[in-house]
Amino acid sequence: MGEATAGANGQAKAASVSAPAADDALRERIRQAIADAGGWLPFDRFMTLALYEPGLGYYARGDRQFGLMPDSGSDFVTAPELSPLFGRALAAQVAQALQVSGTDTVYEFGAGSGALAAQLLDALDAPDGSGVRVQRYAIVELSTALRERQRERLARFGERVQWLSALPDTMQGVVVGNEVLDAMPVQL
């Protein structure tokens, strides 16, 4: 239960676990981590387990946490899921930043379903758009389940979209993060 297996693309793929079973297993996993650490667990480690433990964490167990509305089975909704207007508006600022910086790369942290990435790439590619073409759209995503959801949504952009599982050592480009800071394990 909650084990990681290799998917067809060689990436780790979390086993599907029902939410109540995942909650119980995750509680036990966190209890064990606290015991293994001598009774105290740093906040960033706790948050990593709670959100990203393969097959068990909130963003790693494969259910849809966010979507169109709660009646769709999601827990919350973000602006890009409601309308493409947010992505189009943000694309104007991203284009400006790309022009000023002389880069052609966008980094998005925690891209969720990939809705914002698709909106930004569509708007930046539009003939009446900014004239700035993104050559590389790098998504920093810790969740294998969300990565797969993003791959499906962004497949039409091909090799331009790439996934990173950690913060790169260096970055040259524009950084985008929408409703992601609360999902990033941090040291206190």
Side-chain angles (χ1 to χ4, degrees), residues 80-177:
E81 301 291 337
L82 292 174
S83 165
L85 297 177
F86 179 77
R88 288 184 200 149
L90 184 58
Q93 293 302 301
V94 170
Q96 183 181 28
L98 288 167
Q99 287 172 338
V100 168
S101 67
T103 62
D104 59 7
T105 300
V106 173
Y107 294 89
E108 183 176 356
F109 288 80
S113 70
L116 181 59
Q119 292 165 12
L120 288 173
L121 287 166
D122 282 339
L124 292 168
D125 287 350
D128 62 343
S130 64
V132 174
R133 181 164 166 83
V134 173
Q135 297 299 316
R136 180 173 180 240
Y137 197 101
I139 297 174
V140 180
E141 182 60 69
L142 302 179
S143 168
T144 302
L146 289 176
R147 214 180 255 219
E148 290 305 314
R149 193 170 167 190
Q150 295 158 8
R151 282 187 205 283
E152 288 175 25
R153 187 173 216 151
L154 301 170
R156 64 189 166 100
F157 297 104
E159 299 290 317
R160 290 169 56 197
V161 180
Q162 300 168 359
W163 283 265
L164 308 172
S165 55
L167 182 66
D169 291 332
T170 62
M171 290 188 297
Q172 187 170 2
V174 175
V175 176
V176 174

